């Protein structure tokens, strides 16, 4: 997918950073100083592994793993291959829980950025309504000398990830931390999360929805379509069958994409334990949204799969001004 700048207003501001400084009489005085800003996020951002490897080699991006507990065992996203372990646990009814990273993990990431020569950090995280991760980041930020801008994304998955990608692209252009944060906030404001789960039980166990809602859905075999709004999981519609729920999810996504600037809708599909369904949904969405960039398909990270459960299908709708090549773009 061809690279597009994050936004017109941002392009102007970043252009200013690259322009020569001017003296009082208007004459150039030399190149503008570049402020080196690192970006830190957490594994709930669901970023493509290839993209993370491409942009993190120089330390400009750090993804802090979020712990997942299966029984008495603790696993870290990215440190252990735990997808199969979680799937088996969920299928057998074993308890699967998640926790926030410790402040020490974020402190280590911020100090590594400082020692790597970066002058500031933008730390962007899963919604504070769904996890205490952003609180850990704030505690760590108060302990270090390097300036850290901590941002609650109020979302999750590749909605958070798209904002991280835009932030990394802006940082690579030499933007200061406040501008990098502004880019991320701009991206977050135009990105939506819609998803379908076969059962509300796992969300209830994790405290993401109320017990009454879960019981009602189970008793009446309701297949819910949900969204993330203002940081919280909220119900959109209740459908009577899985097939109808997936079809309705597609309709909602297509309607959202149709309201975006022509040819700029960007879609990502997440799944857990049902890759064939995700492939089919992505193919149908690609046909239904003209000019859409290739739909990215990826398994939910463990920390989200633990709450959504087996069979989840989630679609993130954003805009293709989010960077998309090895330097500034998502892996297909």
């Amino acid at each position: 997918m061809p690279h597009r700048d994050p936004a017109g207003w941002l392009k102007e501001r970043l252009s200013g950073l690259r322009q020569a400084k001017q003296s009082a009489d208007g004459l150039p005085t030399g190149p503008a100083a570049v402020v080196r800003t690192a970006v830190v996020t957490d594994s709930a951002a669901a970023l493509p592994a290839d993209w993370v490897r491409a942009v993190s080699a120089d330390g400009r991006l750090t993804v802090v793993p979020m712990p997942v507990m299966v029984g008495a065992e603790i696993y870290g996203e990215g440190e252990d291959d735990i997808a199969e372990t979680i799937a088996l646990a969920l299928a057998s009814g074993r308890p699967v829980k998640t926790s926030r990273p410790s402040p020490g993990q974020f402190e280590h990431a911020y100090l590594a950025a400082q020692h790597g020569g970066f002058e500031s950090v933008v730390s962007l995280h899963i919604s504070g309504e769904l996890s205490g991760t952003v609180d850990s980041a704030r505690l760590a930020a108060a302990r270090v000398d390097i300036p850290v801008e901590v941002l609650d994304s109020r979302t999750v998955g590749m909605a958070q990830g798209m904002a991280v990608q835009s932030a990394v692209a802006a940082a690579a252009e030499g933007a200061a931390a406040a501008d990098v944060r502004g880019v991320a906030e701009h991206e977050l404001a135009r990105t939506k999360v819609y998803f379908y789960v076969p059962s509300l039980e796992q969300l209830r166990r994790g405290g993401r929805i109320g017990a009454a809602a879960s019981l009602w859905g189970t008793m009446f075999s309701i297949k819910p379509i949900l969204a993330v709004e203002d940081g919280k999981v909220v119900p959109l519609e209740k459908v009577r069958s899985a097939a109808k729920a997936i079809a309705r999810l597609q309709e909602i996504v297509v309607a959202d994409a149709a309201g975006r600037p022509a040819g700029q809708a960007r879609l990502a599909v997440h799944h857990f334990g049902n890759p064939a369904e995700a492939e089919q949904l992505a193919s149908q969405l690609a046909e239904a949204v003209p000019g859409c960039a290739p739909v990215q398909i990826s398994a939910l990270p463990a920390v989200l799969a633990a709450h959504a459960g087996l069979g989840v299908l989630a679609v993130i709708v954003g805009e293709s001004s989010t960077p998309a090549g090895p330097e500034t773009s998502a892996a297909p």
Side-chain angles (χ1 to χ4, degrees):
M1 184 182 92
H3 167 68
R4 294 187 179 96
D5 290 318
W9 63 269
L10 173 65
K11 186 174 180 180
E12 262 180 45
R13 296 176 78 178
L14 292 182
S15 176
L17 289 171
R18 295 192 298 269
Q19 290 173 352
K21 291 180 180 178
Q22 292 188 341
S23 63
D25 58 5
L27 297 175
T29 60
V34 174
V35 177
R36 301 190 67 220
T37 303
V39 177
V40 173
T41 190
D42 54 70
S43 55
L47 290 161
D50 289 347
W51 184 85
V52 171
R53 282 192 291 270
V55 302
S56 61
D58 62 358
R60 68 176 128 151
L61 172 67
T62 300
V63 180
V64 175
M66 296 182 67
V68 178
M69 291 157 282
V70 180
E73 297 294 322
I74 300 177
Y75 300 86
E77 186 81 55
E79 299 173 346
D80 306 281
D81 184 11
I82 60 173
E84 185 176 351
T85 301
I86 291 177
L88 290 173
L90 292 172
S92 64
R94 290 177 63 200
V96 180
K97 299 180 180 179
T98 62
S99 182
R100 65 183 183 179
S102 69
Q105 288 174 273
F106 288 113
E107 185 175 355
H108 177 79
Y110 302 154
L111 290 175
Q114 184 176 17
H115 295 155
F118 292 91
E119 299 174 7
S120 58
V121 175
V122 171
S123 200
L124 193 161
H125 300 291
I126 179 176
S127 170
E129 298 286 347
L130 303 176
S131 169
T133 298
V134 73
D135 294 328
S136 286
R138 289 179 179 131
L139 286 170
R143 297 177 182 173
V144 296
D145 294 329
I146 185 172
V148 181
E149 294 263 359
V150 178
L151 176 58
D152 182 345
S153 73
R154 309 295 290 174
T155 191
V156 72
M158 268 301 292
Q160 174 186 341
M162 289 178 183
V164 171
Q165 290 180 323
S166 286
V168 169
E173 291 279 358
D179 288 323
V180 172
R181 177 179 180 139
V183 174
E185 289 174 331
H186 181 78
E187 191 72 37
L188 290 167
R190 57 184 181 163
T191 309
K192 296 286 292 184
V193 180
Y194 306 101
F195 64 109
Y196 150 77
V197 291
S199 169
L200 291 168
E201 179 59 18
Q202 197 60 27
L203 283 168
R204 182 198 66 78
R205 288 182 183 179
R208 271 58 185 180
I209 61 168
S214 176
L215 179 62
W216 190 84
T218 302
M219 288 177 61
F220 295 97
S221 299
I222 295 300
K223 304 300 180 184
I225 298 173
L226 307 162
V228 176
E229 292 183 1
D230 194 25
K232 301 177 183 178
V233 174
V234 298
L236 283 185
E237 296 184 12
K238 302 178 181 71
V239 187
R240 289 286 182 180
S241 73
K244 289 180 179 178
I246 295 171
R248 181 60 185 140
L249 174 63
Q250 179 179 332
E251 290 174 357
I252 291 169
V253 169
V254 170
D256 184 325
R260 308 283 174 149
Q264 290 191 22
R266 180 185 176 193
L267 305 177
V269 174
H270 294 315
H271 63 87
F272 188 64
N274 52 334
E277 281 186 317
E279 291 277 359
Q280 182 177 11
L281 176 60
S283 177
Q284 292 169 338
L285 288 172
E287 291 181 8
V289 183
C292 178
V295 180
Q296 177 186 299
I297 306 170
S298 60
L300 274 181
V303 69
L304 302 184
H307 293 293
L310 289 165
V312 59
L313 286 172
V315 183
I316 287 76
V317 185
E319 294 178 18
S320 58
S321 55
T322 302
E327 276 291 312
T328 54
S329 69

